[in-house]
């Protein structure tokens, strides 16, 4: 597995593993022993970067994901980097499939969160600690100050933020250098490409979550696919609606054509596209299946030239595609035509 450097010195595998879907958002939690084995397989295949959060669980077990990741990675702790997050909790009283987010980045809450995460992850430090979402009631400078303190105390070694904009990045970085942002990014979600110049200026990495548009760009799903029931967020995602699956066929056919030429899969092309675009981008696709894990990790071996990436960008600018889940606020009510 190739490696990349996030920020100044956080060395990680070029493709990481997002662990959220093992316990949250994609139907009922998977079998814990199977997921522990899957994470071990990821390590064996060269993956050294694992992403979780204190909130990736269920109403009955709200911290299930961190506990899973902590148990799975305990034998490999000195070989891997663990990223987790603070600053939100789910409104478990909500009846919606997609639970409302409640922000809380007060210093005392962060302190309680980091201690809980360290215990559940069975470790004495967190390699990358993200603010999960910006808290409008707590200045980002105050949050960054707490991060600086946690770094001095050795409880975390690097920090970052998720779903943030340039102004927030600059203000935070001025107080405590930011190692990485974790924002949505895929061929169907490109609005944060405007951040590339500031990330390069400040030497900040970009960890891409949902790098295959919540699995859609794998090309594995159609109108007849069975999803994970009421607890599966894909049931309401725009790209998974029957009319949009049809609408996005040209995009999927393009991916299949490129994949065939490169002796790869559509999923691998969608990952290779961003890996070959910028050296500081690290995608963290998630999966519950060993064959998909291997497929995703092997995307790091697929090479696209600068000209091929530019050609794909040009196609993505003009090809019809539907709205995608998580659309940026300024385009969330618009469809691509």
């Amino acid at each position: 597995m190739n490696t990349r450097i996030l920020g100044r010195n956080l060395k990680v595998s070029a493709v990481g593993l997002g662990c959220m879907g093992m316990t949250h958002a994609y139907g009922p939690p998977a079998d814990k022993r199977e997921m522990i084995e899957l994470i071990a397989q990821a390590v064996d295949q060269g993956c050294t970067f694992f992403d979780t959060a204190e909130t990736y669980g269920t109403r009955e077990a709200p911290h299930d994901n961190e506990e899973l990741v902590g148990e799975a990675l305990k034998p490999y702790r000195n070989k891997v980097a663990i990223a987790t997050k603070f600053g939100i909790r789910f409104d478990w009283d909500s009846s919606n499939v997609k639970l409302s987010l409640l922000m809380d980045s007060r210093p005392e809450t962060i302190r309680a969160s980091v201690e809980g995460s360290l215990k559940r992850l069975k470790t004495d430090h967190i390699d990358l600690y993200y603010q999960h979402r910006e808290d409008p009631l707590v200045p980002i400078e105050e949050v960054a100050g707490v991060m600086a303190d946690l770094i001095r105390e050795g409880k975390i070694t690097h920090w970052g933020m998720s779903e943030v904009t340039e102004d927030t990045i600059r203000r935070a970085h001025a107080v405590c250098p930011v190692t990485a942002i974790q924002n949505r990014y895929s061929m169907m979600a490109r609005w944060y490409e405007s951040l590339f110049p500031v990330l390069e200026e400040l030497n900040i990495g970009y960890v891409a979550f949902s790098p295959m548009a919540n699995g859609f760009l794998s090309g594995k799903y159609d109108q007849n696919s069975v999803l994970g029931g009421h607890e599966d967020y894909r049931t309401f995602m725009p790209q998974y609606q029957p009319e949009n699956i049809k609408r996005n066929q040209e995009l999927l056919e393009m991916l299949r054509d490129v994949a065939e030429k490169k002796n790869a899969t559509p999923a691998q092309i969608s990952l290779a596209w961003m890996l070959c675009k910028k050296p500081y981008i690290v995608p963290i696709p998630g999966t519950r299946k060993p064959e998909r894990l291997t497929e995703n990790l092997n995307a790091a071996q697929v090479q696209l030239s600068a000209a091929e990436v530019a050609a794909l960008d040009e196609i993505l600018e003009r090809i019809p595609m539907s709205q995608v889940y998580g659309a940026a606020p300024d385009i969330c009510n618009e469809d691509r035509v």
Side-chain angles (χ1 to χ4, degrees), residues 117-310:
S117 290
L118 288 168
K119 182 177 180 180
R120 289 185 291 269
L121 291 169
K122 304 182 188 299
T123 185
D124 62 356
H125 72 280
I126 294 164
D127 300 286
L128 182 54
Y129 200 39
Y130 295 108
Q131 183 186 33
H132 209 152
R133 292 293 186 272
E134 187 173 2
D135 186 341
L137 300 180
V138 181
I140 193 61
E141 291 85 355
E142 187 172 355
V143 175
V146 177
M147 295 300 104
D149 290 341
L150 293 178
I151 290 172
R152 282 191 290 269
E153 295 165 18
K155 293 181 179 180
I156 70 174
T157 58
H158 306 80
W159 86 288
M161 299 171 289
S162 183
E163 291 287 86
V164 285
T165 58
E166 179 176 349
D167 177 67
T168 300
I169 293 169
R170 289 190 180 279
R171 289 165 52 205
H173 191 78
V175 176
C176 182
V178 175
T179 291
I181 64 166
Q182 184 183 128
N183 283 17
R184 185 180 301 275
Y185 188 46
S186 73
M187 285 182 165
M188 297 184 76
R190 300 177 59 200
W191 47 86
Y192 286 122
E193 289 182 351
S194 61
L195 293 178
F196 289 170
V198 70
L199 299 181
E200 291 162 11
E201 173 192 341
L202 301 178
N203 189 24
I204 296 172
Y206 191 136
V207 176
F209 77 84
S210 296
M212 288 182 282
N214 303 96
F216 184 79
L217 294 174
S218 67
K220 309 288 185 185
Y221 300 92
D222 59 27
Q223 294 93 326
N224 300 314
S225 296
V226 178
L227 301 177
H230 176 72
E231 297 173 271
D232 192 331
Y233 282 20
R234 289 172 297 181
T235 58
F236 63 79
M237 291 181 182
Q239 65 269 35
Y240 280 99
Q241 302 312 303
E243 66 275 14
N244 287 334
I245 290 176
K246 293 178 63 176
R247 185 176 185 180
N248 292 322
Q249 284 309 300
E250 188 174 346
L251 171 61
L252 296 179
E253 285 301 323
M254 180 273 289
L255 272 174
R256 292 186 185 104
D257 289 344
V258 176
E260 184 175 356
K261 293 173 184 176
K262 289 290 183 178
N263 193 29
T265 67
Q268 290 173 334
I269 295 300
S270 68
L271 295 173
W273 165 78
M274 64 178 68
L275 286 166
C276 296
K277 184 184 285 282
K278 297 292 183 181
Y280 51 82
I281 295 177
V282 176
I284 50 168
T287 187
R288 299 180 175 193
K289 299 178 180 179
E291 61 273 20
R292 295 286 82 80
L293 172 70
T294 299
E295 178 183 0
N296 294 342
L297 295 180
N298 284 343
Q301 309 305 319
V302 178
Q303 293 300 312
L304 299 174
S305 68
E308 288 171 325
V309 170

